[in-house]
Amino acid sequence: MSQLEEQLHRRRTFAIISHPDAGKTTLTEKLLLFGGAIQLAGTVKGRKAARHATSDWMELEKQRGISVTSSVMQFPYHESIVNLLDTPGHGDFSEDTYRTLTAVDSALMVIDVAKGVEERTIKLMDVCRLRSTPILTFVNKLDREGRDAIEVLDEIENVLQIRCAPVTWPIGMGKRFKGVYDLRHDRTHLFSATHGGHIQSGEVIEGLNNPRMDELLGDQADELREELELVQGASHPLDLDDYLAGQQTPVFFGSAINNFGVKELLDAFVEYAPPPLARTTRERPVEPSEPKFSGFVFKIQANMDPAHRDRVAFLRVCSGSYKKGMKMRHVRIGKSVQVANAITFQADERRQVEEAWPGDIIGLHNHGTIQIGDTFTEGEDLKYEGVPYFAPELFRRVVLKDPLKTKALQKGVLQLCEEGATQVFRPLKNNDIILGAVGVLQFEVAAYRLKGEYGVEAVVEAVSVNTARWVECDDPKMLARFQEKAYENLALDGDDQLVYLAPTRVNLDLTQERWPEIRFLATREL
Ligand code: G4P
């Protein structure tokens, strides 16, 4: 095996999808703890700061700084090198969250056992489905009273439309929580709460029928045996091909805060989760084992401090390897650039890397020439696909304080748009500028940066747009007719693509029904 093959087979690049408060940060800490990346859990910075959307700009900047350092966390585990990509979740939920999911090879879904499937998880799951991303599930907070485990699995299957295969099964819950039974290895891990962030191991009992089970669990041993019979009859056996195809999710139970069930999860993760696979470019599929370097940019992070206007472009390596000082071709602008100082993000410390392999993320310093979706190669003209724009869910009209600044506003907004900070829509019927986003903080960031970087003072105000769809039709006449009839609701995006801005969901449904020949698209390739 070549060094490249060896390195790429070790890589596991993933992100956590969850609704706020399900336990993503806590679980991240514990995973890093197992990876030896941090000594004690509780040190993943910014968990409180990142909790609230805020208009305090110092605070905002702190948050952004923090999320740069914790954007990508790399740690070794057994034979693997794990790359965990952060998906901004609380106030800083944005299109970055969605696009990060286009750069991973698999995902880990965290569900709060008391809350079940929540709204944000549904959205993130929809994004995973675009690429049939394999998903492992961790049902968290078993140390608290929650819903029946079977009920939670039912909900996952019904709401998220993915089959569940339990790999571990909880014994009791809340005060009666005794541990998990590992269906793969026919053994039980007994629970004991931990304090602080130490790794600890409770007693392990081999075999479901081991008398030690009855001795320690009392009635709960028989309850478990009965429940397992029921579960195994009613649920799906683990099928790795189905998992890799995104059709089935292996499910684990535990308590992240008590570091319980996390090791089983991580062990299975490095075993089941796929290494980097071939990815499609507009020209041809690219195998990760191809010796020549290639990758794409999925996120650009701007520094909020006007004194340090550096932006970092996050590039996912797809083939070959990055070596410090190498030349790369920036395909869109047709230029070759020398990259001497790419950064990587190990746990919570920024450091320069000498090399990076498929599945790894590197940060390129960028002064505005790099856009989201850009491909870099070792010479070949390729364009990676699958880094789309997502239809925004929130809309605001930009109102200028100084009407003479219209030109500067347009320029600023278009650049923010290219960076993926926000999306812009210009209605056909008037000169409004409407911003679109998936998280409210995006509007604050846009207004702040317009002022700081383009000298434009603007405020954003509510506008009656509920959702947007890109519009396409093979028949130009039909499209022209639609354009005439739907004129009031049509706009152009930052790339002059036609977009339907629906005032309500009902309006969108009706319009779609009325115009069956028109395609209404919720994503658009960059
Ligand atoms: P998030 O990143 O998904 O938003 O969730 P986070 O890890 O911040 O966890 C949200 C809350 O849930 C935190 O409590 C955290 O301690 C708690 N939590 C996480 N895992 C478990 C678990 O296994 N069992 C129980 N009982 N609680 C859990 P908080 O009070 O909001 O914050 P903190 O004061 O603990 O930091």
Side-chain angles (χ1 to χ4, degrees):
M1 221 195 290
S2 70
Q3 193 192 8
L4 171 59
E5 275 168 351
E6 194 187 311
Q7 289 289 349
L8 87 88
H9 286 302
R10 297 172 71 193
R11 277 354 191 228
R12 298 288 182 275
T13 300
F14 80 113
I16 298 182
I17 59 173
S18 63
H19 192 81
D21 285 336
K24 185 186 75 169
T25 313
T26 311
L27 184 62
T28 301
E29 285 172 0
K30 307 298 170 176
L31 293 173
L32 294 179
L33 185 66
F34 279 109
I38 46 177
Q39 294 305 310
L40 278 183
T43 56
V44 172
K45 290 177 204 156
R47 45 182 309 174
K48 282 293 178 212
R51 190 71 52 86
H52 307 282
T54 167
S55 30
D56 177 336
W57 294 112
M58 288 307 288
E59 201 45 48
L60 183 61
E61 185 177 327
K62 255 192 265 156
Q63 278 181 30
R64 303 277 297 185
I66 287 158
S67 55
V68 166
T69 52
S70 63
S71 275
V72 180
M73 290 157 272
Q74 187 181 71
F75 60 92
Y77 188 70
H78 296 334
E79 297 305 306
S80 301
I81 303 284
V82 179
N83 291 308
L84 170 51
L85 276 52
D86 184 44
T87 43
H90 286 267
D92 52 352
F93 179 65
S94 68
E95 285 161 278
D96 281 349
T97 313
Y98 288 166
R99 284 202 203 96
T100 296
L101 294 176
T102 66
V104 299
D105 300 309
S106 70
L108 173 61
M109 174 163 76
V110 181
I111 302 266
D112 182 329
V113 69
K115 298 195 176 140
V117 177
E118 296 176 87
E119 166 248 335
R120 183 102 20 112
T121 312
I122 299 174
K123 284 185 189 161
L124 295 170
M125 181 74 188
D126 282 342
V127 177
C128 288
R129 230 188 302 271
L130 293 174
R131 298 183 55 245
S132 305
T133 306
I135 294 172
L136 287 186
T137 298
F138 185 72
V139 181
N140 191 25
K141 306 195 185 182
L142 267 293
D143 59 309
R144 281 202 192 151
E145 292 306 325
R147 286 162 47 185
D148 194 43
I150 295 183
E151 199 186 306
V152 172
L153 295 200
D154 268 353
E155 189 173 87
I156 295 172
E157 296 212 339
N158 292 328
V159 178
L160 299 178
Q161 292 292 306
I162 186 164
R163 294 190 289 274
C164 291
V167 180
T168 65
W169 194 256
I171 307 167
M173 197 179 287
K175 287 202 182 72
R176 292 185 80 226
F177 184 51
K178 291 286 159 50
V180 293
Y181 172 72
D182 180 341
L183 282 87
R184 288 200 302 169
H185 303 106
D186 182 28
R187 63 168 83 115
T188 300
H189 295 253
L190 292 186
F191 173 68
S192 62
T194 56
H195 299 284
H198 298 277
I199 294 177
Q200 67 134 60
S201 41
E203 185 173 340
V204 175
I205 306 172
E206 299 291 339
L208 189 57
N209 294 320
N210 192 325
R212 180 91 180 131
M213 293 282 280
D214 305 84
E215 201 180 304
L216 290 173
L217 299 176
D219 289 348
Q220 277 182 272
D222 270 339
E223 277 172 38
L224 171 69
R225 293 181 188 116
E226 279 164 32
E227 202 171 45
L228 279 172
E229 251 175 58
L230 198 82
V231 170
Q232 278 167 325
S235 67
H236 303 270
L238 181 66
D239 181 328
L240 286 184
D241 289 331
D242 278 1
Y243 157 67
L244 291 173
Q247 306 284 334
Q248 183 191 78
T249 178
V251 183
F252 299 78
F253 292 84
S255 167
I257 202 155
N258 289 294
N259 209 352
F260 190 79
V262 178
K263 186 174 181 299
E264 290 77 7
L265 176 73
L266 187 54
D267 285 344
F269 169 75
V270 292
E271 189 184 331
Y272 299 164
L277 302 172
R279 290 200 167 231
T280 54
T281 64
R282 210 175 273 165
E283 291 73 20
R284 63 183 184 85
V286 176
E287 291 293 332
S289 56
E290 292 183 21
K292 290 213 163 144
F293 169 87
S294 70
F296 64 89
V297 172
F298 61 95
K299 162 169 153 172
I300 290 175
Q301 190 140 320
N303 196 321
M304 298 302 292
D305 179 354
H308 300 97
R309 272 221 203 143
D310 63 319
R311 292 163 207 180
V312 178
F314 289 78
L315 178 139
R316 143 105 198 195
V317 181
C318 296
S319 69
S321 64
Y322 159 80
K323 299 268 182 327
K324 188 178 155 112
M326 78 183 285
K327 275 211 162 123
M328 292 181 191
R329 183 174 171 75
H330 187 177
V331 175
R332 183 177 49 80
I333 60 172
K335 275 200 186 137
S336 178
V337 285
Q338 188 142 17
V339 183
N341 57 347
I343 44 178
T344 184
F345 312 91
Q346 266 216 324
D348 55 352
E349 133 203 9
R350 271 207 216 194
R351 56 159 212 155
Q352 287 205 358
V353 252
E354 304 294 318
E355 54 186 21
W357 305 93
D360 288 346
I361 310 300
I362 56 176
L364 305 177
H365 291 286
N366 166 30
H367 305 288
T369 45
I370 306 180
Q371 292 177 11
I372 287 176
D374 278 359
T375 299
F376 285 79
T377 68
E378 230 175 305
E380 195 177 344
D381 278 338
L382 297 171
K383 167 81 179 88
Y384 275 99
E385 295 182 315
V387 193
Y389 277 120
F390 295 89
E393 288 140 42
L394 303 166
F395 298 84
R396 299 282 188 276
R397 190 197 334 267
V398 189
V399 183
L400 270 179
K401 289 199 175 150
D402 175 359
L404 293 176
K405 289 277 172 104
T406 308
K407 274 256 159 63
L409 172 69
Q410 274 167 352
K411 181 167 169 241
V413 160
L414 284 177
Q415 282 189 9
L416 292 182
C417 197
E418 279 170 5
E419 254 180 46
T422 179
Q423 290 187 50
V424 62
F425 303 99
R426 291 154 300 158
L428 299 185
K429 64 176 177 186
N430 58 30
N431 290 325
D432 280 358
I433 290 188
I434 294 176
L435 300 183
V438 303
V440 275
L441 195 67
Q442 285 183 258
F443 297 124
E444 292 185 38
V445 171
Y448 180 78
R449 291 188 57 195
L450 281 173
K451 186 171 168 204
E453 291 166 39
Y454 302 94
V456 179
E457 283 223 49
V459 290
V460 295
E461 62 175 34
V463 58
S464 77
V465 179
N466 175 276
T467 186
R469 290 290 181 272
W470 283 277
V471 171
E472 279 180 12
C473 184
D474 297 329
D475 175 359
K477 275 195 199 135
M478 177 71 72
L479 189 62
R481 226 172 48 233
F482 177 67
Q483 201 159 325
E484 191 186 316
K485 290 275 190 251
Y487 186 77
E488 286 291 309
N489 292 326
L490 286 172
L492 296 176
D493 73 1
D495 282 331
D496 290 335
Q497 299 293 313
L498 198 60
V499 185
Y500 184 78
L501 300 180
T504 61
R505 284 270 154 184
V506 177
N507 170 284
L508 178 66
D509 290 344
L510 286 177
T511 311
Q512 279 178 297
E513 254 172 55
R514 218 167 283 154
W515 298 88
E517 298 85 355
I518 306 266
R519 291 188 296 277
F520 293 83
L521 308 170
T523 58
R524 182 171 82 73
E525 252 327 287
L526 286 168

